[in-house]
Amino acid sequence: SQQGEEDPQALSIQEGENATMNCSYKTSINNLQWYRQNSGRGLVHLILIRSNEREKHSGRLRVTLDTSKKSSSLLITASRAADTASYFCATRVNNAGNMLTFGGGTRLMVKP
Amino acid sequence: EADIYQTPRYLVIGTGKKITLECSQTMGHDKMYWYQQDPGMELHLIHYSYGVNSTEKGDLSSESTVSRIRTEHFPLTLESARPSHTSQYLCASSPRGARSDTQYFGPGTRLTVL
């Protein structure tokens, strides 16, 4: 079974609204990362949060991490049509070198 | 934009053909990875390398092989392609040091085996 699972699988919102995506994982982690993938393209790193951090911001992105619940959330504020993409969480498990385990992704559509 | 390149971007071939998917990066990264991703699904690690002459198999069993003769180059080869190999293949790399956890991805190769 996969380490990370995103929820919801798909999300459709209007431009200007906020989008929240959640990620749950199973084992202890060193850090958790969020990546973005435009249709048919490679992934782009958005933000990394370490296991001893609870919240992190980058521009319109806000990530939270709750290690007691083994979950993370990604909030995109004031969404734009250009934010339309799939968003994946990836966990670096302790004692697993630099290996990342990816979840199934949330497909976000932002309507203009 | 990451300096990591994959060719070809799209490939349609017949069953039984031998193919090599190319991946090159100009960032001097030691670590490189190959992932397989079906449309709309999660990524699965199939091979990785920590440096020249280092290659390891990933979590997902794959009939492909890789080589790492030069730091910048990490090609993936399928000796005899089958329809079950139809998928998107993503190459990634990561640096040493403080940003070693971040992976930089190429644009991917979408492979279709008829």
Side-chain angles (χ1 to χ4, degrees):
Chain A
S1 60
Q2 58 196 56
Q3 160 77 334
E5 294 187 14
E6 280 93 336
D7 170 60
Q9 290 188 322
L11 180 61
S12 181
I13 60 174
Q14 293 294 135
E15 210 165 23
E17 294 179 342
N18 296 340
T20 300
M21 290 159 263
N22 303 295
C23 170
S24 60
Y25 56 92
K26 294 183 171 66
T27 60
S28 295
I29 61 170
N30 179 285
N31 65 65
L32 185 145
Q33 304 175 41
W34 286 89
Y35 286 79
R36 165 195 168 124
Q37 183 180 36
N38 286 77
S39 181
R41 304 287 297 182
L43 279 70
V44 175
H45 180 261
L46 295 175
I47 196 165
L48 179 153
I49 187 165
R50 302 200 181 279
S51 60
N52 60 352
E53 298 175 309
R54 293 295 166 258
E55 188 170 313
K56 208 159 180 184
H57 296 254
S58 176
R60 291 184 296 114
L61 306 180
R62 173 179 168 248
V63 169
T64 62
L65 179 64
D66 187 335
T67 52
S68 66
K69 295 180 180 177
K70 292 186 168 60
S71 68
S72 172
S73 67
L74 170 68
L75 169 67
I76 304 174
T77 60
S79 63
R80 305 166 183 168
D83 294 328
T84 294
S86 290
Y87 293 82
F88 292 86
C89 70
T91 52
R92 183 188 157 196
V93 176
N94 287 330
N95 303 319
N98 291 99
M99 299 304 111
L100 296 179
T101 303
F102 287 83
T106 292
R107 286 174 292 287
L108 173 66
M109 174 170 286
V110 181
K111 300 177 200 171
Chain B
E1 194 85 14
D3 293 323
I4 180 164
Y5 310 98
Q6 291 186 243
T7 57
R9 290 292 317 282
Y10 303 91
L11 180 61
V12 181
I13 59 166
T15 297
K17 300 290 186 186
K18 177 180 178 179
I19 59 166
T20 296
L21 307 185
E22 302 287 350
C23 176
S24 294
Q25 49 95 8
T26 58
M27 298 174 284
H29 290 172
D30 289 325
K31 302 179 185 69
M32 296 189 75
Y33 315 84
W34 275 104
Y35 292 90
Q36 186 173 338
Q37 182 188 29
D38 291 328
M41 302 296 286
E42 69 215 78
L43 281 71
H44 292 284
L45 180 67
I46 51 175
H47 296 283
Y48 61 97
S49 167
Y50 282 148
V52 171
N53 294 326
S54 149
T55 61
E56 302 285 345
K57 288 188 181 292
D59 301 327
L60 182 67
S61 173
S62 173
E63 294 161 345
S64 57
T65 59
V66 291
S67 63
R68 190 88 183 276
I69 298 171
R70 302 197 316 262
T71 298
E72 63 271 21
H73 197 212
F74 191 39
L76 180 144
T77 298
L78 275 166
E79 291 292 333
S80 179
R82 295 208 299 270
S84 61
H85 297 138
T86 294
S87 190
Q88 171 153 268
Y89 293 83
L90 294 166
C91 181
S93 68
S94 60
R96 293 187 201 178
R99 292 189 63 80
S100 63
D101 286 333
T102 300
Q103 295 189 9
Y104 297 82
F105 283 80
T109 294
R110 188 171 296 279
L111 172 66
T112 302
V113 184
L114 303 175

